[in-house]
């Protein structure tokens, strides 16, 4: 795993993903970046703000703020972030990272 640039513990549903030996499973690169961006969005409180907002103009403003949070991550190429939010309670985000050929995709359920 030494060829991986970003390594993190994989978090699923708010807890560590554990293998059969009760050891945390590791994630790397694009998945790790997506996980970090997802946590930044959740910690910002904007996901909850989006959940409460019904005005389409104000919802678009919150989605823009979420996009800006994602672009603050230095591993993400500015201008490649796209954020979608629907009334059902899911915020989808995709972006391109400097060091990864894979597209970073993540969802935040609110």
């Amino acid at each position: 795993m030494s060829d991986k640039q970003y390594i993190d513990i994989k978090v699923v549903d708010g807890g560590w993903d554990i293998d059969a030996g009760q050891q945390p499973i590791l994630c790397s690169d694009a998945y790790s970046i997506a996980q970090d961006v997802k946590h930044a969005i959740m910690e910002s409180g904007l996901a909850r703000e989006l959940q409460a907002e019904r005005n389409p103009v104000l919802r678009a403003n919150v989605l823009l703020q979420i996009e800006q949070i994602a672009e603050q991550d230095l591993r993400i190429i500015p201008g490649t972030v796209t954020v979608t939010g629907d009334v059902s309670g899911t915020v989808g985000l995709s972006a391109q990272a400097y060091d990864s050929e894979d597209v970073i995709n993540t969802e935040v359920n609110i």
Side-chain angles (χ1 to χ4, degrees), residues 26-96:
L26 300 178
C27 63
S28 61
D29 297 336
Y31 192 94
S32 177
I33 296 169
Q35 181 173 275
D36 289 346
V37 169
K38 179 178 181 175
H39 292 151
I41 293 167
M42 292 168 52
E43 291 167 3
S44 73
L46 290 173
R48 294 229 178 224
E49 189 174 330
L50 185 66
Q51 181 182 25
E53 190 56 65
R54 296 293 172 232
N55 183 323
V57 174
L58 296 177
R59 284 181 64 82
N61 183 39
V62 174
L63 290 172
L64 179 62
Q65 291 177 55
I66 291 172
E67 183 177 314
Q68 290 171 341
I69 285 176
E71 287 187 347
Q72 287 177 358
D73 190 311
L74 299 177
R75 301 168 291 183
I76 302 241
I77 300 171
T80 64
V81 178
T82 56
V83 178
T84 58
D86 55 26
V87 181
S88 69
T90 302
V91 176
L93 183 138
S94 65
Q96 183 67 45

Side-chain angles (χ1 to χ4, degrees), residues 9-18 25 27 31 35 38-39:
I9 294 174
K10 188 174 183 179
V11 177
V12 177
D13 295 328
W16 290 356
D17 198 8
I18 306 293
I25 295 175
C27 63
Y31 192 94
Q35 181 173 275
K38 179 178 181 175
H39 292 151

